[in-house]
Amino acid sequence: AQKITQTQPGMFVQEKEAVTLDCTYDTSDPSYGLFWYKQPSSGEMIFLIYQGSYDQQNATEGRYSLNFQKARKSANLVISASQLGDSAMYFCAMREFNQGGKLIFGQGTELSVKP
Amino acid sequence: DAGVIQSPRHEVTEMGQEVTLRCKPISGHNSLFWYRQTMMRGLELLIYFNNNVPIDDSGMPEDRFSAKMPNASFSTLKIQPSEPRDSAVYFCASSLGGRETQYFGPGTRLLVL
């Protein structure tokens, strides 16, 4: 079974609008962390935001927020006020604490921001 | 502050040759990870070290792959002999502890002809 599922291979959003990228996960470990990374066309992996399984509040980092719904096992990334520079691949990843430091990645969503 | 440094950034080699990829983690980080990214398999962990000791190498594809971390500021990933199916982007990442956020290097794009 897929541990991390990103169901949107590609998405478009108009500049200055908000967009939600979906991520669902599967784990039986009560302690885990969820991450989002951005990979622009240049290829580097840029850390965006982190949510711990015991965190009471949804994580936010500037224009990025994580809509964490634990019962539904979803950790969607919300980007507000999209910019042209947000066009990139976005990866959701999970670390199960009982499995050590290993990150398990989803297949990614390619976001295109239109002017 | 310097991030994770990887070299070379690009490598083109012929099948059967030895390839060595290098990584310098962020200073002070004690966990280091090697990942491989391909179109078919996405991003997958090859091996990770904690305090220079290999903790999980279950992702290493086969005996042709080996990784070392002789000290806290340097790691290598070696492929010998290389094969065309090894063509991929290889990322090194480091973190302050195995359970903290991992910061990635720019990657090495490897092409084996």
Side-chain angles (χ1 to χ4, degrees):
Chain A
Q2 292 278 357
K3 289 268 190 177
I4 295 285
T5 302
Q6 294 181 253
T7 57
Q8 306 151 313
M11 286 194 70
F12 289 91
V13 65
Q14 201 69 36
E15 193 179 8
K16 299 181 184 177
E17 292 186 351
V19 62
T20 298
L21 307 184
D22 294 342
C23 173
T24 57
Y25 59 92
D26 182 27
T27 181
S28 57
D29 191 335
S31 299
Y32 53 90
L34 297 157
F35 302 79
W36 278 91
Y37 285 85
K38 173 184 178 181
Q39 186 175 39
S41 58
S42 51
E44 69 267 35
M45 293 286 289
I46 303 167
F47 165 70
L48 295 178
I49 196 167
Y50 166 79
Q51 180 85 43
S53 59
Y54 293 117
D55 292 345
Q56 294 296 313
Q57 293 189 327
N58 287 345
T60 60
E61 288 286 349
R63 294 187 299 110
Y64 304 109
S65 60
L66 203 153
N67 184 2
F68 180 46
Q69 298 187 43
K70 194 170 182 177
R72 298 178 65 181
K73 293 189 175 178
S74 74
N76 299 339
L77 176 70
V78 180
I79 305 174
S80 62
S82 298
Q83 301 173 356
L84 296 178
D86 294 335
S87 294
M89 283 289 288
Y90 288 81
F91 291 95
C92 180
M94 175 176 66
R95 184 187 61 226
E96 296 166 297
F97 282 25
N98 287 336
Q99 298 297 318
K102 175 179 181 178
L103 278 178
I104 302 168
F105 285 86
Q107 289 300 306
T109 294
E110 184 170 9
L111 177 67
S112 297
V113 180
K114 298 190 290 184
Chain B
D1 289 342
V4 176
I5 298 172
Q6 291 186 246
S7 65
R9 296 291 307 275
H10 302 272
E11 177 81 23
V12 180
T13 191
E14 292 187 346
M15 183 175 63
Q17 297 297 306
E18 178 179 294
V19 175
T20 299
L21 311 182
R22 297 173 176 81
C23 176
K24 177 179 170 55
I26 293 171
S27 178
H29 283 191
N30 63 347
S31 294
L32 183 139
F33 307 80
W34 284 101
Y35 290 89
R36 180 171 67 176
Q37 184 178 32
T38 61
M39 288 295 293
M40 290 297 295
R41 300 176 65 90
L43 275 153
E44 52 185 353
L45 178 73
L46 298 177
I47 185 170
Y48 87 89
F49 296 84
N50 198 40
N51 293 321
N52 311 338
V53 176
I55 301 298
D56 181 355
D57 64 355
S58 59
M60 295 286 265
E62 49 199 271
D63 292 345
R64 297 185 298 105
F65 285 68
S66 62
K68 294 182 179 180
M69 191 163 187
N71 57 62
S73 59
F74 184 66
S75 176
T76 59
L77 178 68
K78 186 176 293 187
I79 308 172
Q80 166 64 16
S82 59
E83 296 182 2
R85 59 190 169 126
D86 302 330
S87 298
V89 180
Y90 291 81
F91 286 102
C92 176
S94 72
S95 67
L96 187 65
R99 295 180 175 183
E100 301 298 323
T101 298
Q102 296 176 25
Y103 294 92
F104 283 69
T108 295
R109 292 183 178 274
L110 173 65
L111 178 61
V112 183
L113 302 174

